[in-house]
Amino acid sequence: MAGESSDESGVVWSGRLGRVPAEVRTTNGQRVLRIGRWSTVVDDRTEIRHRTGRFALSQRIIIRQPGRPPFVHRYRLPLLLQLAPYWEATYDRLSAEADDPGLGLVELLGGTDDWV
């Protein structure tokens, strides 16, 4: 389960993006984002975006930093969560954030998303 409270170990957020673990940790005053084996320091020049894939079947988190190639992490939500917007009449952003931990992660890091 994803959380957003800081503890003694410096972990600010932890969760899973699809099958891959992810976390945001504060180390020496810097925020470090780790997705699987990949990690980077997130600063004010870092651009983070969350995008929904084709037919809402997959999600992407795109991280751009000056002087580095963009990092794209693609992941899928469980099938029932992928179908939730189609059978839930009142599906809104709060429901989407509860279903997709990537939305909360991107918001925590000051990024943007394409959720309408």
Side-chain angles (χ1 to χ4, degrees):
M1 192 99 198
E4 291 187 22
S5 62
S6 182
D7 61 14
E8 296 157 6
S9 67
V11 175
V12 177
W13 181 95
S14 67
R16 297 188 73 77
L17 301 174
R19 296 180 180 172
V20 178
E23 75 177 12
V24 176
R25 179 181 294 268
T26 302
T27 306
N28 298 327
Q30 297 179 322
R31 280 194 166 175
V32 178
L33 168 62
R34 182 181 60 80
I35 299 175
R37 294 181 184 175
W38 180 87
S39 67
T40 191
V41 173
V42 177
D43 59 18
D44 57 346
R45 300 176 306 150
T46 305
E47 181 182 325
I48 302 171
R49 295 181 180 170
H50 181 282
R51 297 293 179 252
T52 302
R54 199 169 179 185
F55 306 114
L57 295 178
S58 66
Q59 280 66 33
R60 293 184 315 265
I61 292 182
I62 305 157
I63 298 150
R64 296 178 194 265
Q65 294 177 309
R68 295 182 70 181
F71 172 77
V72 179
H73 177 69
R74 291 176 175 85
Y75 64 99
R76 287 185 177 229
L77 299 173
L79 182 60
L80 291 177
L81 295 179
Q82 291 177 19
L83 299 175
Y86 301 109
W87 75 62
E88 189 178 325
T90 60
Y91 197 82
D92 60 2
R93 182 171 182 94
L94 291 176
S95 299
E97 287 176 353
D99 293 345
D100 183 358
L103 285 169
L105 171 62
V106 170
E107 183 178 349
L108 174 72
L109 296 174
T112 61
D113 60 64
D114 61 354
W115 210 94
V116 192

